[in-house]
Amino acid sequence: MSEENTSNVPVTRSRPKPGERRVQILETLAVMLQEPGGDRVTTAALASRLQVSEAALYRHFASKAQMFEGLIEFIESTIFGLINQISGQQEDAQKQTRLIIAMLTGFAEKNPGMTRVLIGDALVTEDDRLQSRINQLVDRIEASLRQSYRLAVAQGKLPPNTDIAARATVSLSYVLGRWLRFAKSGFKHSPTEGLEQQIPFLVL
């Protein structure tokens, strides 16, 4: 017969480790951003959702801006990790470009709240440096698209006189437009809807 624990030592509930709590805060913020009025999430509302005090939030993040920086870091690492993966696995430049565009619209569909960060809606009242960082992220996406179109010319899939910069800008504008429509529709209009029919106009 096993011995029962008859000690009077109180059983304490294990608390999340610091890193785990940070992730929990960011995940909750992302969820709240996709809800109605999510472009104006306050730290008070975030703390209430997590059932902690605002002071508890600031033990993990120095400011609300730092929380958004955490989301932007996730967006950056995910998007450019996938772009590098696509570029490394797909040698055909046209297929590569199609996959990148599909990935960018698919990322928004899977992460509605973060789409509000990507289009800047959630950053309107935040520190200007956050919008600058998103602008840099978008510039890097455009640079990746230029590289794919440049490769398509080198592979003979596009004419030598192709305006690579113009094609990359048009493709980026398409992605930004899909993100914007998705967010402004309250996430009702999927950013990937009609993609197969529309993408040939971008990638010939």
Side-chain angles (χ1 to χ4, degrees), residues 54-130:
E54 286 188 74
L57 296 180
Y58 292 121
R59 282 198 288 271
H60 302 280
F61 294 95
S63 64
K64 185 181 175 186
Q66 196 176 83
M67 296 177 200
F68 277 109
E69 284 180 338
L71 288 182
I72 294 172
E73 286 170 7
F74 170 82
I75 292 169
E76 285 179 330
S77 63
T78 302
I79 285 179
F80 293 108
L82 290 171
I83 286 176
N84 290 336
Q85 182 178 321
I86 291 168
S87 300
Q89 295 178 353
Q90 181 53 255
E91 295 181 0
D92 185 296
Q94 286 182 311
K95 291 180 180 178
Q96 188 181 110
T97 309
R98 288 169 180 259
L99 288 171
I100 290 174
I101 293 171
M103 177 276 292
L104 292 169
T105 53
F107 176 85
E109 187 169 52
K110 294 175 183 176
N111 301 279
M114 294 185 194
T115 306
R116 277 204 167 120
V117 177
L118 282 166
I119 67 170
D121 272 14
L123 306 177
V124 173
T125 60
E126 305 302 326
D127 194 299
D128 288 344
R129 76 175 185 275
L130 296 174

Side-chain angles (χ1 to χ4, degrees), residues 149-160:
Y149 282 119
R150 190 174 293 114
L151 182 59
V153 172
Q155 292 177 346
K157 297 181 181 297
L158 288 174

Side-chain angles (χ1 to χ4, degrees), residues 31 33 39 51 54 66 76 83 87-88 90 93 104 124 138 170 176 183 190 201 204:
V31 169
L33 285 171
D39 53 337
Q51 297 184 326
E54 286 188 74
Q66 196 176 83
E76 285 179 330
I83 286 176
S87 300
Q90 181 53 255
L104 292 169
V124 173
V138 170
V170 169
L176 292 175
S190 167
F201 292 99
L204 299 178

